[in-house]
Amino acid sequence: MNDRIFDVLLKIQFMRLSKQTLAICLFLAPVASFAQVNATDSPAQQAQLNTITTAVPFLQIAPDSRCGAMGDAGVAVSPDANSGFWNPAKLAFIKTDMEASLSYAPWLRALVNDMSLAYLSVTKKLNKRQAFAGSLRYFTLGNITFTDESGQVIRDFKPAEWALDASFGQQFTDKFSGGISTRFVNSNLTGGTNVLGADSKPGRSVAADVALFYSNDDIKLGKKDGVWSLGMNISNIGAKMRYTNTDERDFIPANLKLGTALTTMLDEYNALTFALDFNKLLVPTPPRYADNGTDSVLYGIDPNVGVATGIVQSFYDAPGNLDNDGNYVSGSAFVEELREVNISGGMEYMYTDQFAFRTGYFYEHYTKGNRQFITLGAGLRYEVITIDMSYLISTTQNNPLANTLRFTLRLALDGNSGGNGGEEGIPTE
């Protein structure tokens, strides 16, 4: 839990919130981080738990059902109306003149019943090599009742966060493109609640994405035609965010995503796509402080740095681990850095460019959040309309993300339902 993110609530120690505060606190860890210390864990295992937390982790939630059903792998899969989120460079390869997508996901239903994420995206082809996209993400955390220490109601409030994006993709060659996104983020968690002089305010930030995409649709897999793609997206490069009038600010979730996808056309009716993504937060890792009542760093690097320094530092600042006797383990810092890489893998089967079945798996090391889940989903296209759905099955216990559903409605506004040679990689006639 990032203490500074909810600084105003920690300062107002006598304030009591409804049970939904639990959901907020869980969500304020990076897209719901559920690493836990168990009594049966050894001292070394307990010492290894070192989750990275940021402000506005909703920026990392997969908004659409297609990639959400593929284990959150999407940086290199064929482009569609949601490419502005996954990799804006893919926009340049969209074949349709205009597309729109609307997604909705009830969130943390294992805890509360009024949290949800909505996502609206529209893409427009500018010319053969350029495309633009605009999108809006809106995350509502449901209703909160603020009370004082005596139980008197202060106010009711519905915390919400949103992000407004503008993205652009440009083809440099027939197989290679680049893209950028700009983003304004607003996070209003307390509605300016003031108790005993502790002021709060909405957190705001601006950010940008820089992305690359390579797609080769002229490869052979034995006697089968295929499409091979590579993608990279450095997202949420932006200013720190604060919720109070103090000088303390929180990093937003800058992230490096690398991935590849391979599609093979089994025959004229059937196609398979396999996708694999690697993600790493470009945010400083919390160090291990000396146990002497001071803020002196014992292992790792001081995380109170600027955004640019934090991005570079994130590749080598892990503090490492201790053994059962409390001694530092040589080489454990490098191992911890590797544990900060999340892995997403997925598969999509497409029949006649009309029906899709998808599945995937997402892995995060238990010391870094322990999000591990299987995803399933399906899609159905009729004329210019596509309906997608995904379902999340947690493989860890007591995970509020379990049984998460996503729904997406996509519309090809120019009447052409094909994407990058057919949205799922199947060439159009």
Side-chain angles (χ1 to χ4, degrees), residues 88 97 117 210 376 388 398:
D97 178 65
L117 174 70
V210 179
L376 299 170
D388 295 314
N398 301 320

Side-chain angles (χ1 to χ4, degrees), residues 200-248:
S200 66
K201 63 180 183 179
R204 295 187 175 94
S205 181
V206 292
D209 301 352
V210 179
L212 297 172
F213 182 62
Y214 171 84
S215 182
N216 186 347
D217 59 1
D218 189 27
I219 66 171
K220 290 288 185 180
L221 301 173
K223 296 183 179 180
K224 309 294 184 182
D225 292 330
V227 180
W228 178 57
S229 302
L230 292 170
M232 181 195 77
N233 187 17
I234 303 176
S235 59
N236 301 316
I237 307 168
K240 290 184 179 182
M241 180 177 289
R242 65 180 181 180
Y243 294 89
T244 69
N245 291 321
T246 67
D247 291 331
E248 297 211 37

Side-chain angles (χ1 to χ4, degrees), residues 106-127:
W107 203 246
L108 298 185
R109 277 298 190 256
L111 292 179
V112 293
N113 59 9
D114 57 356
M115 295 177 66
S116 63
L117 174 70
Y119 180 68
L120 174 64
S121 177
V122 178
T123 65
K124 179 70 171 75
K125 194 77 174 177
L126 302 179
N127 53 51

Side-chain angles (χ1 to χ4, degrees), residues 144-373:
I144 296 288
T145 299
F146 290 86
T147 63
D148 60 23
E149 62 180 354
S150 63
Q152 297 299 313
V153 174
I154 298 174
R155 65 175 299 188
D156 288 333
F157 182 65
K158 292 185 178 180
E161 302 176 302
W162 56 268
L164 185 64
D165 293 15
S167 304
F168 175 77
Q170 167 75 58
Q171 278 193 29
F172 302 125
T173 70
D174 290 340
K175 296 175 177 158
F176 182 65
S177 66
I180 59 172
S181 293
T182 57
R183 179 169 302 112
F184 178 78
V185 186
N186 185 85
S187 174
N188 190 356
L189 299 179
T190 62
T193 300
N194 182 304
V195 179
L196 291 184
D199 295 324
S200 66
K201 63 180 183 179
R204 295 187 175 94
S205 181
V206 292
D209 301 352
V210 179
L212 297 172
F213 182 62
Y214 171 84
S215 182
N216 186 347
D217 59 1
D218 189 27
I219 66 171
K220 290 288 185 180
L221 301 173
K223 296 183 179 180
K224 309 294 184 182
D225 292 330
V227 180
W228 178 57
S229 302
L230 292 170
M232 181 195 77
N233 187 17
I234 303 176
S235 59
N236 301 316
I237 307 168
K240 290 184 179 182
M241 180 177 289
R242 65 180 181 180
Y243 294 89
T244 69
N245 291 321
T246 67
D247 291 331
E248 297 211 37
R249 296 172 179 265
D250 301 288
F251 286 95
I252 66 173
N255 183 78
L256 171 64
K257 184 186 291 286
L258 298 171
T260 185
L262 178 66
T263 298
T264 176
M265 268 60 76
L266 304 177
D267 53 41
E268 61 179 321
Y269 300 109
N270 301 277
L272 275 177
T273 295
F274 300 93
L276 181 65
D277 283 9
F278 299 91
N279 284 271
K280 186 185 189 312
L281 278 173
L282 304 181
V283 176
T285 304
R288 304 197 185 279
Y289 295 97
D291 189 18
N292 56 9
T294 69
D295 290 332
S296 59
V297 175
L298 187 61
Y299 303 111
I301 302 177
D302 187 350
N304 296 314
V305 296
V307 173
T309 301
I311 289 175
V312 175
Q313 178 178 309
S314 68
F315 289 98
Y316 59 84
D317 63 352
N321 303 313
L322 308 177
D323 61 21
N324 286 325
D325 297 323
N327 300 314
Y328 184 77
V329 179
S330 178
S332 60
F334 177 71
V335 173
E336 185 174 355
E337 288 290 353
L338 293 179
R339 289 175 175 175
E340 292 178 359
V341 178
N342 299 333
I343 303 173
S344 304
M347 182 272 291
E348 177 182 68
Y349 164 74
M350 196 73 185
Y351 176 71
T352 65
D353 204 23
Q354 292 182 329
F355 175 78
F357 172 78
R358 306 174 181 110
T359 188
Y361 183 73
F362 181 94
Y363 175 82
E364 179 179 63
H365 196 270
Y366 85 94
T367 63
K368 296 298 176 179
N370 205 29
R371 287 175 296 155
Q372 299 174 26
F373 50 81

